[in-house]
PDB file of all heavy atoms in Angstrom:
ATOM      1  N   GLN A  19      -4.718  40.308  -4.047  1.00 60.00           N
ATOM      2  CA  GLN A  19      -4.707  39.122  -3.194  1.00 60.00           C
ATOM      3  C   GLN A  19      -4.117  37.916  -3.913  1.00 60.00           C
ATOM      4  O   GLN A  19      -3.550  37.028  -3.277  1.00 60.00           O
ATOM      5  CB  GLN A  19      -6.130  38.803  -2.728  1.00 60.00           C
ATOM      6  CG  GLN A  19      -6.685  39.809  -1.726  1.00 60.00           C
ATOM      7  CD  GLN A  19      -8.125  39.518  -1.376  1.00 60.00           C
ATOM      8  OE1 GLN A  19      -8.737  38.594  -1.909  1.00 60.00           O
ATOM      9  NE2 GLN A  19      -8.692  40.312  -0.481  1.00 60.00           N
ATOM     10  N   ALA A  20      -4.285  37.860  -5.246  1.00 63.00           N
ATOM     11  CA  ALA A  20      -3.767  36.730  -6.011  1.00 63.00           C
ATOM     12  C   ALA A  20      -2.369  36.981  -6.557  1.00 63.00           C
ATOM     13  O   ALA A  20      -1.800  36.108  -7.195  1.00 63.00           O
ATOM     14  CB  ALA A  20      -4.722  36.399  -7.175  1.00 63.00           C
ATOM     15  N   ASP A  26       5.145  32.051  -3.049  1.00 82.00           N
ATOM     16  CA  ASP A  26       4.811  31.503  -4.369  1.00 82.00           C
ATOM     17  C   ASP A  26       6.076  31.238  -5.174  1.00 82.00           C
ATOM     18  O   ASP A  26       6.178  30.220  -5.868  1.00 82.00           O
ATOM     19  CB  ASP A  26       3.906  32.475  -5.133  1.00 82.00           C
ATOM     20  CG  ASP A  26       2.487  32.498  -4.603  1.00 82.00           C
ATOM     21  OD1 ASP A  26       1.774  31.514  -4.816  1.00 82.00           O
ATOM     22  OD2 ASP A  26       2.115  33.495  -3.964  1.00 82.00           O
ATOM     23  N   PHE A  30       7.127  27.668  -6.717  1.00 85.00           N
ATOM     24  CA  PHE A  30       7.290  27.500  -8.161  1.00 85.00           C
ATOM     25  C   PHE A  30       8.688  27.014  -8.520  1.00 85.00           C
ATOM     26  O   PHE A  30       8.862  26.188  -9.427  1.00 85.00           O
ATOM     27  CB  PHE A  30       6.978  28.809  -8.889  1.00 85.00           C
ATOM     28  CG  PHE A  30       5.512  29.041  -9.097  1.00 85.00           C
ATOM     29  CD1 PHE A  30       4.885  30.161  -8.568  1.00 85.00           C
ATOM     30  CD2 PHE A  30       4.741  28.145  -9.823  1.00 85.00           C
ATOM     31  CE1 PHE A  30       3.533  30.381  -8.743  1.00 85.00           C
ATOM     32  CE2 PHE A  30       3.383  28.359 -10.007  1.00 85.00           C
ATOM     33  CZ  PHE A  30       2.776  29.477  -9.468  1.00 85.00           C
ATOM     34  N   THR A 297       1.077  31.128   0.558  1.00 85.00           N
ATOM     35  CA  THR A 297       1.137  31.628  -0.819  1.00 85.00           C
ATOM     36  C   THR A 297      -0.133  32.390  -1.163  1.00 85.00           C
ATOM     37  O   THR A 297      -1.168  32.234  -0.504  1.00 85.00           O
ATOM     38  CB  THR A 297       1.327  30.459  -1.805  1.00 85.00           C
ATOM     39  OG1 THR A 297       0.228  29.547  -1.659  1.00 85.00           O
ATOM     40  CG2 THR A 297       2.630  29.725  -1.538  1.00 85.00           C
ATOM     41  N   ARG A 298      -0.067  33.198  -2.201  1.00 82.00           N
ATOM     42  CA  ARG A 298      -1.236  33.949  -2.670  1.00 82.00           C
ATOM     43  C   ARG A 298      -1.799  33.348  -3.949  1.00 82.00           C
ATOM     44  O   ARG A 298      -2.963  32.974  -4.019  1.00 82.00           O
ATOM     45  CB  ARG A 298      -0.855  35.414  -2.908  1.00 82.00           C
ATOM     46  CG  ARG A 298      -0.574  36.210  -1.643  1.00 82.00           C
ATOM     47  CD  ARG A 298      -0.172  37.628  -1.996  1.00 82.00           C
ATOM     48  NE  ARG A 298       0.175  38.420  -0.812  1.00 82.00           N
ATOM     49  CZ  ARG A 298       0.735  39.620  -0.859  1.00 82.00           C
ATOM     50  NH1 ARG A 298       1.026  40.159  -2.042  1.00 82.00           N
ATOM     51  NH2 ARG A 298       1.011  40.276   0.261  1.00 82.00           N
ATOM     52  N   LEU A 299      -0.953  33.264  -4.971  1.00 80.00           N
ATOM     53  CA  LEU A 299      -1.424  32.783  -6.267  1.00 80.00           C
ATOM     54  C   LEU A 299      -1.891  31.335  -6.182  1.00 80.00           C
ATOM     55  O   LEU A 299      -2.946  30.977  -6.707  1.00 80.00           O
ATOM     56  CB  LEU A 299      -0.316  32.924  -7.310  1.00 80.00           C
ATOM     57  CG  LEU A 299      -0.661  32.441  -8.732  1.00 80.00           C
ATOM     58  CD1 LEU A 299      -1.854  33.204  -9.274  1.00 80.00           C
ATOM     59  CD2 LEU A 299       0.543  32.573  -9.644  1.00 80.00           C
ATOM     60  N   ILE A 300      -1.107  30.488  -5.498  1.00 78.00           N
ATOM     61  CA  ILE A 300      -1.472  29.077  -5.407  1.00 78.00           C
ATOM     62  C   ILE A 300      -2.765  28.908  -4.627  1.00 78.00           C
ATOM     63  O   ILE A 300      -3.619  28.087  -4.980  1.00 78.00           O
ATOM     64  CB  ILE A 300      -0.322  28.284  -4.758  1.00 78.00           C
ATOM     65  CG1 ILE A 300       0.882  28.274  -5.701  1.00 78.00           C
ATOM     66  CG2 ILE A 300      -0.755  26.865  -4.421  1.00 78.00           C
ATOM     67  CD1 ILE A 300       2.080  27.560  -5.164  1.00 78.00           C
ATOM     68  N   GLN A 301      -2.956  29.703  -3.572  1.00 80.00           N
ATOM     69  CA  GLN A 301      -4.204  29.626  -2.817  1.00 80.00           C
ATOM     70  C   GLN A 301      -5.391  30.088  -3.656  1.00 80.00           C
ATOM     71  O   GLN A 301      -6.485  29.528  -3.572  1.00 80.00           O
ATOM     72  CB  GLN A 301      -4.100  30.472  -1.546  1.00 80.00           C
ATOM     73  CG  GLN A 301      -3.182  29.878  -0.483  1.00 80.00           C
ATOM     74  CD  GLN A 301      -3.687  28.547   0.028  1.00 80.00           C
ATOM     75  OE1 GLN A 301      -4.875  28.360   0.272  1.00 80.00           O
ATOM     76  NE2 GLN A 301      -2.782  27.588   0.173  1.00 80.00           N
ATOM     77  N   ALA A 302      -5.162  31.124  -4.490  1.00 80.00           N
ATOM     78  CA  ALA A 302      -6.238  31.595  -5.367  1.00 80.00           C
ATOM     79  C   ALA A 302      -6.610  30.529  -6.396  1.00 80.00           C
ATOM     80  O   ALA A 302      -7.792  30.275  -6.654  1.00 80.00           O
ATOM     81  CB  ALA A 302      -5.804  32.884  -6.066  1.00 80.00           C
ATOM     82  N   VAL A 303      -5.587  29.885  -6.974  1.00 78.00           N
ATOM     83  CA  VAL A 303      -5.841  28.808  -7.936  1.00 78.00           C
ATOM     84  C   VAL A 303      -6.541  27.640  -7.251  1.00 78.00           C
ATOM     85  O   VAL A 303      -7.463  27.025  -7.803  1.00 78.00           O
ATOM     86  CB  VAL A 303      -4.520  28.354  -8.578  1.00 78.00           C
ATOM     87  CG1 VAL A 303      -4.741  27.117  -9.446  1.00 78.00           C
ATOM     88  CG2 VAL A 303      -3.920  29.475  -9.410  1.00 78.00           C
ATOM     89  N   ASN A 304      -6.123  27.326  -6.030  1.00 75.00           N
ATOM     90  CA  ASN A 304      -6.743  26.247  -5.282  1.00 75.00           C
ATOM     91  C   ASN A 304      -8.216  26.541  -5.009  1.00 75.00           C
ATOM     92  O   ASN A 304      -9.078  25.656  -5.107  1.00 75.00           O
ATOM     93  CB  ASN A 304      -5.987  26.031  -3.971  1.00 75.00           C
ATOM     94  CG  ASN A 304      -6.562  24.885  -3.165  1.00 75.00           C
ATOM     95  OD1 ASN A 304      -6.642  23.766  -3.641  1.00 75.00           O
ATOM     96  ND2 ASN A 304      -6.965  25.173  -1.934  1.00 75.00           N
ATOM     97  N   GLY A 305      -8.528  27.800  -4.651  1.00 74.00           N
ATOM     98  CA  GLY A 305      -9.925  28.163  -4.439  1.00 74.00           C
ATOM     99  C   GLY A 305     -10.748  28.038  -5.698  1.00 74.00           C
ATOM    100  O   GLY A 305     -11.898  27.580  -5.659  1.00 74.00           O
ATOM    101  N   LEU A 306     -10.162  28.446  -6.835  1.00 74.00           N
ATOM    102  CA  LEU A 306     -10.867  28.330  -8.110  1.00 74.00           C
ATOM    103  C   LEU A 306     -11.141  26.868  -8.457  1.00 74.00           C
ATOM    104  O   LEU A 306     -12.250  26.517  -8.880  1.00 74.00           O
ATOM    105  CB  LEU A 306     -10.037  28.993  -9.208  1.00 74.00           C
ATOM    106  CG  LEU A 306     -10.609  28.927 -10.633  1.00 74.00           C
ATOM    107  CD1 LEU A 306     -11.964  29.637 -10.707  1.00 74.00           C
ATOM    108  CD2 LEU A 306      -9.630  29.531 -11.633  1.00 74.00           C
ATOM    109  N   LEU A 307     -10.130  26.008  -8.264  1.00 72.00           N
ATOM    110  CA  LEU A 307     -10.314  24.590  -8.550  1.00 72.00           C
ATOM    111  C   LEU A 307     -11.361  23.977  -7.622  1.00 72.00           C
ATOM    112  O   LEU A 307     -12.131  23.100  -8.033  1.00 72.00           O
ATOM    113  CB  LEU A 307      -8.979  23.848  -8.392  1.00 72.00           C
ATOM    114  CG  LEU A 307      -7.890  24.206  -9.416  1.00 72.00           C
ATOM    115  CD1 LEU A 307      -6.600  23.457  -9.084  1.00 72.00           C
ATOM    116  CD2 LEU A 307      -8.341  23.885 -10.828  1.00 72.00           C
ATOM    117  N   GLY A 308     -11.395  24.448  -6.358  1.00 68.00           N
ATOM    118  CA  GLY A 308     -12.404  23.955  -5.431  1.00 68.00           C
ATOM    119  C   GLY A 308     -13.811  24.297  -5.877  1.00 68.00           C
ATOM    120  O   GLY A 308     -14.721  23.477  -5.776  1.00 68.00           O
ATOM    121  N   ARG A 309     -13.981  25.528  -6.385  1.00 71.00           N
ATOM    122  CA  ARG A 309     -15.316  25.917  -6.876  1.00 71.00           C
ATOM    123  C   ARG A 309     -15.707  25.111  -8.111  1.00 71.00           C
ATOM    124  O   ARG A 309     -16.869  24.723  -8.270  1.00 71.00           O
ATOM    125  CB  ARG A 309     -15.339  27.415  -7.184  1.00 71.00           C
ATOM    126  CG  ARG A 309     -15.335  28.286  -5.927  1.00 71.00           C
ATOM    127  CD  ARG A 309     -15.651  29.728  -6.248  1.00 71.00           C
ATOM    128  NE  ARG A 309     -14.562  30.367  -6.989  1.00 71.00           N
ATOM    129  CZ  ARG A 309     -13.539  30.987  -6.432  1.00 71.00           C
ATOM    130  NH1 ARG A 309     -13.443  31.041  -5.103  1.00 71.00           N
ATOM    131  NH2 ARG A 309     -12.598  31.545  -7.162  1.00 71.00           N
ATOM    132  N   ILE A 310     -14.736  24.853  -8.980  1.00 70.00           N
ATOM    133  CA  ILE A 310     -15.029  24.035 -10.169  1.00 70.00           C
ATOM    134  C   ILE A 310     -15.423  22.623  -9.761  1.00 70.00           C
ATOM    135  O   ILE A 310     -16.364  22.034 -10.302  1.00 70.00           O
ATOM    136  CB  ILE A 310     -13.812  24.013 -11.111  1.00 70.00           C
ATOM    137  CG1 ILE A 310     -13.564  25.422 -11.678  1.00 70.00           C
ATOM    138  CG2 ILE A 310     -14.018  23.019 -12.242  1.00 70.00           C
ATOM    139  CD1 ILE A 310     -12.302  25.533 -12.515  1.00 70.00           C
ATOM    140  N   ALA A 311     -14.690  22.061  -8.779  1.00 64.00           N
ATOM    141  CA  ALA A 311     -15.025  20.723  -8.298  1.00 64.00           C
ATOM    142  C   ALA A 311     -16.419  20.695  -7.674  1.00 64.00           C
ATOM    143  O   ALA A 311     -17.154  19.717  -7.816  1.00 64.00           O
ATOM    144  CB  ALA A 311     -13.981  20.256  -7.279  1.00 64.00           C
TER     145      ALA A 311
END
Side-chain angles (χ1 to χ4, degrees):
Q19 290 176 357
D26 286 289
F30 279 120
T297 59
R298 290 178 183 170
L299 179 59
I300 293 179
Q301 288 297 318
V303 173
N304 182 57
L306 178 61
L307 293 177
R309 287 192 290 271
I310 294 174

